[in-house]
Amino acid sequence: SYLDQLIGRVLDTLDASPEGKNTIVVFTADSGVARGSHGLIGKQNLYEPSMRVPLVVVGPGIPANRRTDAMCYLFDVLPTLGALSGVPGPKTSEGLDLSATLRNPTTPTRPSLMFAYQKVQRGLRDERYKLIRYPHVDRTQLFDLLADPDERTDLSTRPEHAARLAAMT
């Protein structure tokens, strides 16, 4: 709540300034902490509570009070800010411009995301499913994030998911 209050002060000051209407504000943070999810406390896992981060973008040309479930990486923010500001991004950037999604939250961005935690975990997520692979112990998990957003039911051993498991692996 203290952070919310301080951000509110910054935004109020910006709104009161002559530049407020021409300013793009981005709020993001580090990845979350498991806080007991899956019996874990830290960030050393690829489950959703430890992977998702806040990303709020407001400014001219961006409709207010909209939310999207479109997937992105934080390195997509750089080319997005460039596009919104009329500045070309670096040619070496692997980030994608998310400005179309900011204007219309139903516009998809990335079809999938890949994750890793050191050399012990790998993950692939699309809009519905997430695969987590533990190569050192030869274990794989598969979750249907629409039906099971808390990632409690591992589908990796179910025959009806064998093709999906193979494709995502």
Side-chain angles (χ1 to χ4, degrees):
S1 61
Y2 182 62
L3 180 61
D4 292 344
Q5 179 185 9
L6 294 179
I7 292 170
R9 286 178 56 194
V10 170
L11 295 176
D12 289 345
T13 302
L14 181 60
D15 285 343
S17 80
E19 298 303 321
K21 289 184 177 19
N22 296 321
T23 302
I24 299 167
V25 177
V26 177
F27 174 81
T28 190
D30 194 0
S31 61
V33 175
R35 293 187 188 184
S37 170
H38 292 86
L40 303 169
I41 298 300
K43 301 179 183 190
Q44 300 81 9
N45 65 84
L46 301 184
Y47 297 116
E48 289 295 293
S50 297
M51 297 305 302
R52 297 179 67 91
V53 300
L55 176 59
V56 179
V57 184
V58 297
I62 302 170
N65 301 316
R66 300 246 180 118
R67 182 184 176 112
T68 182
D69 289 324
M71 296 184 294
C72 69
Y73 293 110
L74 286 182
F75 62 77
D76 294 329
V77 173
L78 176 66
T80 302
L81 290 176
L84 292 170
S85 304
V87 177
K91 294 183 188 320
T92 57
S93 174
E94 293 181 25
L96 299 179
D97 172 10
L98 307 173
S99 58
T101 303
L102 293 175
R103 291 185 186 96
N104 177 359
T106 63
T107 303
T109 53
R110 294 180 175 275
S112 63
L113 298 174
M114 293 186 74
F115 309 106
Y117 175 69
Q118 296 189 3
K119 295 180 180 181
V120 296
Q121 297 174 46
R122 296 291 181 264
L124 175 65
R125 181 203 166 149
D126 62 25
E127 290 189 16
R128 181 165 181 176
Y129 292 94
K130 181 193 276 181
L131 178 130
I132 302 175
R133 176 87 179 123
Y134 306 87
H136 293 291
V137 294
D138 194 26
R139 179 154 187 245
T140 302
Q141 296 174 299
L142 179 66
F143 301 101
D144 180 341
L145 297 174
L146 291 180
D148 178 26
D150 295 328
E151 299 164 294
R152 297 286 179 200
T153 304
D154 179 7
L155 306 173
S156 66
T157 59
R158 296 189 182 175
E160 65 268 26
H161 293 283
R164 178 177 320 320
L165 182 68
M168 290 183 81
T169 300

